[in-house]
């Protein structure tokens, strides 16, 4: 038997992990192990990809934090 299985079981016994079974349609990890038609990929794309508008907002927020920390460092 694979040692990774025993390692996971041990971690579950130590209450470091909780392992749940989910049917394929609800199991997001299962998506990557199956072959799906293009239509399915288009339908689930929003579940796995961050929308461009959200990425732009996060970039602007990050740039604002960098500017504030640079201003604080210059004031010292």
């Amino acid at each position: 038997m694979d040692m990774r299985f025993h390692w996971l079981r041990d971690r579950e016994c130590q209450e470091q992990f909780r392992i749940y079974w989910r049917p394929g349609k609800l199991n997001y990890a299962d998506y990557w192990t199956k072959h799906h038609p293009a239509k399915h990929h288009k339908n689930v794309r929003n579940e796995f990809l961050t929308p461009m508008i959200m990425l732009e907002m996060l970039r602007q927020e990050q740039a604002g934090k960098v500017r504030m920390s640079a201003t604080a460092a210059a004031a010292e």
Side-chain angles (χ1 to χ4, degrees):
M1 189 166 265
D2 194 350
M3 292 304 295
R4 290 175 287 189
F5 172 76
H6 293 293
W7 185 86
L8 287 169
R9 262 186 37 190
D10 186 47
R11 294 298 186 254
E12 187 176 29
C13 288
Q14 294 174 16
E15 297 183 1
Q16 293 177 354
F17 293 160
R18 290 186 188 154
I19 300 172
Y20 298 97
W21 179 86
R22 295 277 188 247
K25 292 199 183 271
L26 301 175
N27 185 350
Y28 290 135
D30 197 39
Y31 174 78
W32 306 105
T33 65
K34 305 290 185 269
H35 178 72
H36 300 287
K39 184 176 181 181
H40 179 74
H41 290 293
K42 289 178 184 176
N43 290 336
V44 299
R45 186 180 306 175
N46 291 335
E47 297 291 330
F48 295 102
L49 299 177
T50 306
M52 287 300 292
I53 186 104
M54 180 62 74
L55 289 174
E56 188 57 36
M57 288 171 41
L58 291 169
R59 285 184 187 125
Q60 289 175 0
E61 181 181 311
Q62 186 65 31
K65 287 181 183 177
V66 169
R67 274 188 240 122
M68 284 192 294
S69 63
T71 305
E76 291 179 355

